[in-house]
């Protein structure tokens, strides 16, 4: 049974293909179109999935959309008309935008594009897609499944019990009481772009003290039943015209931070630390109540809030059970969830134990693509090697010598994290490396931290990470923050954040063999089994997909070395 | 001839400088300054000075003399008639100048490259060069009369400076002052061979067409911005295989020449995408410049390899410069966001030969801070900026062009 899941229409469009319950591939549209957060009908991601599966559209048994568009529109209208006075102009603009963007009939658009009968196209509730993306990709036979994002149709939080091929929704919290929108409102307040700058708030939080927590905490009331309520006097989530916060928040915390301003310490960092603390408390509150309600200790998380790796790391230490977080926990992952939901819940396809053990689900490019890119980029000299080990040895030596390397090999990653397939790598032992990579490679704020990728069996020497329960552990997907052991902080300064933490990625020989080997070779030279690992992209651009994307980003950044496929390019020879 | 100069309703900065230019342009004798154009009846020329707020006094009703608006940079922009010999010397000298549009400033066709016409900032000739005198006699000059040719684009022409403020003119003054003070027994002439939008390929052609026969002693190639930014937007195959960069908007000449509907493309037709990697742009620029150098040195002149400054070259921007930073993104927006990176790539890729005097104005301008207003826009200088550039080249020529700047 071939099932194509699709998510599109708001941000982060994507497609995912299942065959008999196995994930064949999954990819975000932005990787192909090079438009960050591309929301369009993911034609190129669909084409990739069909090609990867060796299918034509007529081979698809079902195409499943990640939300019910009509219900979502119902929410928009109802929310606007409940305003006093009713926000008629907002509705008018929304209707015009929906018509212009074809949002009223996404199923019809898909049917027309794929030329398949309309009755093969289905839809699931948005949060059901999120929940399915987490539970059915997890290794758990049963789990407490919690979804938290901005908003789906109406829901912003759901709690479900997952048991084998079933998902039973037990509770839901509807917008405006949304943790995702709450965090995003502060993202905007702190001068960052919503749906893009949430990671920056997390990074900024480490520079501050949560001295405003007592002011912010009352804005998010935690109820005894595990629910929460946002104080609407401070936020405008239902019909936002300009900012998602009201003047009341400015009265409470002072003027918002001016975007691109250099201020990251002091007041605004304290606000970031405070909102991070308050949101962590809310996450713990929701999840712990959910666990009590289901009686199941293992937890699955999805929805954009589940990408808060700082909270995930702390949550792990509070849970009795195990935690699984879907690598593409945001809306981009809902296509996979839609397909998984249809396969297991609707069609009863049996679950497969290996599902979700890797995030390398994207497209791989072949040697012809590499040669085309080199020719197109007029690259005068490249290095080729007799074996992969020779190539990785050369890369390890460059890294040890202080070079910053762009790596583009194999299938690209599913989700926002680069896990060694589309990564920028550097020597974490060099104190200045964080600043150099931020300023000269990624052209972004100097305070942004970088993650360490570490041989999984060596992680405990450097980090206070919980022992991974298996290849689904959040640390394999860079989804959890841990403390760097004090004794080793000076050894890896470039990946130790100002508060002594790091968003660790464990690297396993079986699931990521080439990257694992590179780490071994790097350790053999330097004694450090760790590399600085960040996504291979420039500020504001999607992570690279193809060899040409990689060469382009290499050329337009301060990267020293590029590896595309089995070819190495040295910037100093690029003339 | 009576010239009525009408001051603006509000303030106008640099009025002394602007009035000086008006006096040079029209002669001192008949100038009358007034606050309105009411007294224009018996004037042959009326000049309306534009104020700091962009407003000038209303033009006189029924006036049929020559009406100019003086822009804030000093330019005397003719308003009410086509250009003639008063604006462009020898405007009828050749067919391409004669046939060129005479009612707007801009580019016009020429079989080898193109020409540009920007009257109002000082004398220009029928090719658009800033030439106040006939260059031909320079051919027969004495050995003690040294000739410097400055080649480049609009930054050499210096479109925001008046004729005697442009750095080639300032350089000429510096060299002659020095020669006099040192009793060096030489005099200098500096020819401004800059033309709007020129790339090094255009400079090579213009050198062959106009300068080689003058037997210059020094040739300064002051460029960088046009070659690098236009390379980013040029056809990838032409650039990579043949080092051919060009001004993308001039593709519109094909339409113009063949009388297709529509005018030539303009800066407003945005955006141009970035099509090429920086190393390819840098390589093409370096190759063409080296070729230009060989051409120049083959004619016996000393070649000075310059790199022009851009607004991002400065250590810190003045308030006036800050105000124009945003404007640069309006033109060639994508490429503008990349060009600073390409300049740095140019410097680290080893393109500049070590056996040629290299005047790196880009790096030299890092020393200037917010207290100096040197850029009138993203790439064109204020008079103060051009004085700094002139000083950098002056130092090299004075030292016999023997060492690197």
């Amino acid at each position: 049974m071939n099932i194509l899941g699709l998510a599109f229409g708001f941000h982060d469009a994507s497609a995912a293909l299942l065959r008999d319950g196995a994930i064949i591939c999954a990819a975000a549209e932005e990787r192909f179109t090079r438009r960050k957060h591309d929301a369009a009908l993911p034609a190129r991601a669909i084409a990739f999935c069909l090609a990867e599966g060796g299918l034509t559209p007529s081979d698809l048994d079902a195409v499943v959309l990640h939300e019910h568009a009509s219900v979502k529109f119902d929410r928009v209208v109802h929310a606007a008309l409940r305003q006093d006075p009713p926000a008629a102009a907002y509705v008018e603009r929304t209707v015009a935008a929906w018509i212009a963007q074809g949002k009223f009939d996404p199923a019809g658009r898909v049917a027309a594009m794929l030329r398949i009968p309309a009755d093969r196209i289905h839809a699931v509730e948005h949060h059901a897609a999120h929940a399915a993306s987490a539970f059915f990709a997890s290794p758990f036979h049963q789990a407490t499944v919690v979804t938290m994002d901005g908003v789906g149709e109406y829901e912003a939080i759901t709690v479900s019990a997952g048991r084998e091929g079933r998902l039973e929704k037990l509770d839901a919290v509807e917008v405006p009481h949304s943790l995702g929108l709450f965090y995003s409102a502060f993202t905007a307040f702190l001068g960052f772009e919503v749906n893009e700058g949430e990671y920056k708030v997390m990074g900024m939080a480490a520079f501050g003290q949560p001295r405003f927590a007592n002011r912010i905490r009352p804005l998010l009331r935690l109820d005894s039943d595990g629910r929460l309520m946002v104080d609407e006097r401070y936020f405008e989530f239902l019909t936002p015209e300009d900012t998602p916060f009201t003047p009341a928040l400015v009265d409470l915390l002072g003027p918002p931070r001016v975007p691109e301003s250099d201020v990251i310490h002091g007041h605004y960092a304290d606000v970031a630390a405070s909102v991070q603390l308050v949101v962590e408390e809310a996450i713990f509150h929701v999840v712990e109540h959910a666990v009590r309600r289901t009686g199941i200790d293992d937890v699955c998380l999805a929805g954009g809030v589940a990408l808060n790796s700082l909270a995930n790391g702390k949550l792990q230490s509070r849970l009795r059970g195990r935690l699984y977080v879907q690598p593409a926990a945001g809306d981009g992952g809902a296509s996979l969830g839609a397909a998984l939901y249809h396969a297991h819940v609707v069609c009863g396809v049996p679950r497969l134990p290996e599902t979700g053990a890797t995030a390398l689900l994207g497209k791989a490019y072949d040697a012809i693509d590499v040669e085309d890119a080199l020719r197109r980029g007029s690259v005068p000299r490249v290095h080729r090697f007799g074996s992969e080990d020779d190539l990785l040895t050369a890369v390890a030596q460059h890294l040890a010598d202080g070079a910053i390397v762009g790596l583009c090999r194999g299938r690209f990653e599913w989700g926002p994290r680069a896990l060694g397939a589309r990564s920028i790598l550097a020597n974490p032992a060099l104190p200045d490396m964080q600043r150099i990579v931020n300023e000269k490679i990624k052209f972004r704020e100097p305070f942004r931290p970088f993650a360490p990728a570490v041989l999984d069996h060596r992680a405990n020497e450097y980090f206070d990470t919980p022992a991974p329960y298996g290849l689904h552990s959040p640390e394999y997907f860079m989804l959890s923050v841990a403390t760097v052991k004090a004794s080793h902080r000076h050894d890896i300064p470039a990946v130790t954040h100002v508060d002594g933490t790091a968003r660790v990625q464990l690297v396993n020989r079986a699931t990521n063999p080439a990257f694992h080997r590179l780490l071994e070779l790097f350790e053999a030279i330097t004694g450090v089994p760790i590399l600085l690992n960040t996504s291979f992209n420039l500020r504001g651009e999607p992570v690279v997909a193809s060899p040409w994307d990689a060469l382009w980003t290499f050329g337009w950044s301060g990267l020293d070395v590029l590896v595309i496929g089995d070819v190495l390019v040295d910037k100093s020879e690029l003339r | 001839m009576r010239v009525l100069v009408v001051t603006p309703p509000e303030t106008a900065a640099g009025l002394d400088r602007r009035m000086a230019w008006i006096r040079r342009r029209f002669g001192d004798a008949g100038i009358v300054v007034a606050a309105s154009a009411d007294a224009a009846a018996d004037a042959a020329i009326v000049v309306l000075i534009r104020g700091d707020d962009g407003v000038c006094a209303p033009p006189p009703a029924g006036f049929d003399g020559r009406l100019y608006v003086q822009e804030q940079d000093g330019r005397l922009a003719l308003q009410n008639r086509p250009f003639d010999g008063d604006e462009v010397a020898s405007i009828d000298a050749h067919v391409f100048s004669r046939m060129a549009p005479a009612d707007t400033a801009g580019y016009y066709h020429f079989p080898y490259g193109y020409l540009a016409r920007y009257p109002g900032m000082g004398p220009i000739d029928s090719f658009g060069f800033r030439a106040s005198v006939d260059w031909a006699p320079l051919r027969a000059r004495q050995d003690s009369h040294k000739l410097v040719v400055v080649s480049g684009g609009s930054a050499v022409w210096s479109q925001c400076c008046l004729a005697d403020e442009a750095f080639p003119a300032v350089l000429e003054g510096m060299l002659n002052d020095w020669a006099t003070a040192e009793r060096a027994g030489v005099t200098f002439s500096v020819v401004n061979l800059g033309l709007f939008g020129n790339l090094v390929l255009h400079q090579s052609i213009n050198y062959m067409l106009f300068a080689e026969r003058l037997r210059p002693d020094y040739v300064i190639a002051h460029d960088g911005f046009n070659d690098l930014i236009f390379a980013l937007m040029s056809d990838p195959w032409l650039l990579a295989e043949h080092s051919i960069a060009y001004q993308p908007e001039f593709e519109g000449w094909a339409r113009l020449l063949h009388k297709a509907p529509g005018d030539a493309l303009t800066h407003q037709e945005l955006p141009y995408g970035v099509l090429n990697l920086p190393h390819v742009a840098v390589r093409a620029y370096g190759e063409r410049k080296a070729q230009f150098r060989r051409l120049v040195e083959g004619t016996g002149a000393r070649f000075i390899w310059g790199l022009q400054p851009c607004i991002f070259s400065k250590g810190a921007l003045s308030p006036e410069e800050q105000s124009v930073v945003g404007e640069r993104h309006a033109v060639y927006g994508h490429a503008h966001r990349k060009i600073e990176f390409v300049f740095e790539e140019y410097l680290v890729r080893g393109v500049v030969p070590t056996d040629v005097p290299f005047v790196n104005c880009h790096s030299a301008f890092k020393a200037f801070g917010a207290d100096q207003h040197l850029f009138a826009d993203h790439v064109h200088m204020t008079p103060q900026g051009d004085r700094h550039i002139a000083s950098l080249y002056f130092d090299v020529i004075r030292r016999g062009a023997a060492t690197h700047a």
Side-chain angles (χ1 to χ4, degrees), chain A residues 377-378 555-557 571 574-575, chain B residues 276 278-279 283 338 341 349:
Chain A
S378 191
W556 282 110
S557 69
K571 180 71 77 64
L574 206 58
R575 301 185 176 170
Chain B
N276 294 295
H279 75 273
R283 184 172 68 203
K338 303 272 192 188
F341 182 84
R349 291 281 150 249

Side-chain angles (χ1 to χ4, degrees), chain B residues 130-154:
Chain B
R130 284 196 127 157
S132 57
V133 295
D134 184 6
W135 292 340
L138 291 171
R139 280 185 239 171
R141 70 188 185 281
Q142 302 292 315
D143 287 347
S144 60
H145 184 175
K146 302 297 181 188
L147 178 63
V148 180
V149 168
V150 188
S151 176
S154 55

Side-chain angles (χ1 to χ4, degrees), chain A residues 7-8 11-15 27-48 109 113 363 365 376 412 540-546 548-549 552-553, chain B residues 334:
Chain A
F8 63 98
H11 58 87
D12 297 309
S14 65
E29 182 72 356
E30 68 168 26
R31 300 292 180 103
F32 300 104
T33 62
R34 315 305 305 151
R35 286 192 290 271
K36 186 89 170 163
H37 302 306
D38 195 341
L41 180 63
R44 296 182 65 177
I46 292 170
F48 155 64
R109 290 174 64 200
M113 188 185 82
K363 182 173 180 177
Y365 294 81
R376 185 177 167 195
F412 63 71
E541 294 184 1
V543 180
V544 303
S546 70
W548 171 250
D549 303 334
W552 184 262
T553 301
Chain B
H334 297 310

Side-chain angles (χ1 to χ4, degrees), chain A residues 375-380 440 443 538 541 548 551-559 571-575, chain B residues 232 236 239-241 274-281 283 335 337-339 341-342 345 348-351:
Chain A
R375 193 164 37 251
R376 185 177 167 195
S378 191
V379 175
K440 296 193 172 177
F443 305 107
L538 302 179
E541 294 184 1
W548 171 250
L551 181 60
W552 184 262
T553 301
F554 173 65
W556 282 110
S557 69
L559 282 168
K571 180 71 77 64
S572 67
E573 298 168 345
L574 206 58
R575 301 185 176 170
Chain B
L232 298 183
L239 189 74
E241 298 297 322
V274 173
L275 304 175
N276 294 295
L277 285 161
H279 75 273
V280 187
R283 184 172 68 203
R337 283 186 282 276
K338 303 272 192 188
I339 191 65
F341 182 84
V342 185
E345 285 287 294
V348 301
R349 291 281 150 249
V351 174

Side-chain angles (χ1 to χ4, degrees), chain A residues 405-488:
Chain A
V405 177
L407 198 64
C408 173
R409 303 185 80 224
R411 299 180 74 169
F412 63 71
E413 296 88 345
W414 169 240
R417 297 282 165 258
L419 302 172
R422 301 293 184 275
S423 287
I424 290 173
L425 305 173
N427 186 339
L430 303 177
D432 217 20
M433 198 52 89
Q434 183 202 4
R435 183 190 60 77
I436 293 170
V437 178
N438 267 329
E439 291 181 2
K440 296 193 172 177
I441 311 295
K442 304 200 78 168
F443 305 107
R444 68 185 200 182
E445 300 88 344
F447 67 86
R448 304 278 299 278
F450 291 109
V454 56
L455 291 170
D456 54 0
H457 61 284
R458 305 288 305 280
N460 275 334
E461 294 172 34
Y462 289 83
F463 307 99
D464 287 323
T465 51
Y469 59 80
L471 295 174
H472 292 76
S473 284
E475 295 81 8
Y476 281 105
F477 304 101
M478 211 188 276
L479 286 166
S480 174
V481 168
T483 304
V484 183
K485 290 188 170 172
S487 56
H488 278 297

